[in-house]
Structure formats: structure tokens, C-alpha cells
Amino acid sequence: MAASPSIITRDTDKIAEPTGNLYESIAVISKRAKQIASDMKEELNGKLSEFASTVDNLEEIFENREQIEISKFYERMPKPTAMAMEEFANGEIYWRMKEAEAANEAK
């Protein structure tokens, strides 16, 4: 069985390096992945809403190739978690810890 190209082994030390804690890094990546997924879902729904019809006609369903192509395009896109992981690895994500800021302001 061949390994999936979407599965990449990551060094946990490199993931933990920017935040100093692996779990904080994963939380940052997770939040960014949710943002990406939400944006992609809004974009897809906006494009598919153009094809919405009030009449349920089986012929229209089978003939709507453009809608199928749009859906297939979004299915082939990289997953939001992979995109967020790449952004994090490249240092493209900005984050801050509210607790640390509050502690610094209190001093």
C-alpha cells in the first residue's frame, strides 16, 4: 500500500519552536485552519448559490455540469489543516497570547 502524498511527517520540535509549546502551536494552527475552512465554505456557497433554483427538475440536476466542476475544484484543493500548517511553518501566521499581554501590562 502506497503512502498518501497528503501525509507528511513533521518534526514536533520545529512545530513547538515558535511558541515554545507544542500544544500552543497546535492551537494556533487549529484556529487558523478553522478560519481557512470558514472562508472556503463561504466562497463555495457563494458560487453555488448562483445555481440555486426553486424548481426541482431532475433534468436540470443532471445537466448542471458547471456546478459539478466547481464542487470538484474545491474537493481537489488542499485541506485547510495542511494550508494552516504550511503558513505556520513559513511564519506567515500572527498570534498573541492574551494572558501574557495582561501580565506584562500589570507590571
Side-chain angles (χ1 to χ4, degrees):
M1 184 170 142
S4 172
S6 64
I7 298 173
I8 300 171
T9 304
R10 306 269 184 188
D11 184 8
T12 55
D13 292 334
K14 287 183 181 178
I15 295 171
E17 189 176 307
T19 62
N21 185 332
L22 177 63
Y23 300 103
E24 285 181 24
S25 295
I26 297 299
V28 169
I29 294 166
S30 170
K31 288 180 183 181
R32 178 62 182 139
K34 286 180 185 179
Q35 290 173 346
I36 293 170
S38 175
D39 291 345
M40 287 174 64
K41 186 174 181 178
E42 279 183 37
E43 186 178 324
L44 175 62
N45 287 337
K47 288 182 180 181
L48 293 180
S49 68
E50 298 173 7
F51 300 102
S53 67
T54 57
V55 180
D56 290 333
N57 186 350
L58 287 177
E59 292 174 5
E60 283 184 24
I61 293 172
F62 292 114
E63 292 177 1
N64 202 346
R65 297 282 178 220
E66 290 178 43
Q67 184 177 5
I68 293 169
E69 289 302 316
I70 290 171
S71 296
K72 285 183 179 180
F73 171 76
Y74 278 90
E75 287 176 6
R76 287 188 297 261
M77 286 181 69
K79 303 296 180 220
T81 51
M83 294 169 67
M85 189 66 207
E86 285 301 314
E87 287 180 5
F88 187 79
N90 295 334
E92 299 172 4
I93 298 177
Y94 169 77
W95 74 93
R96 64 176 193 261
M97 304 302 287
K98 291 181 181 179
E99 297 84 18
E101 287 179 5
N104 287 339
E105 289 177 6
K107 289 182 180 180

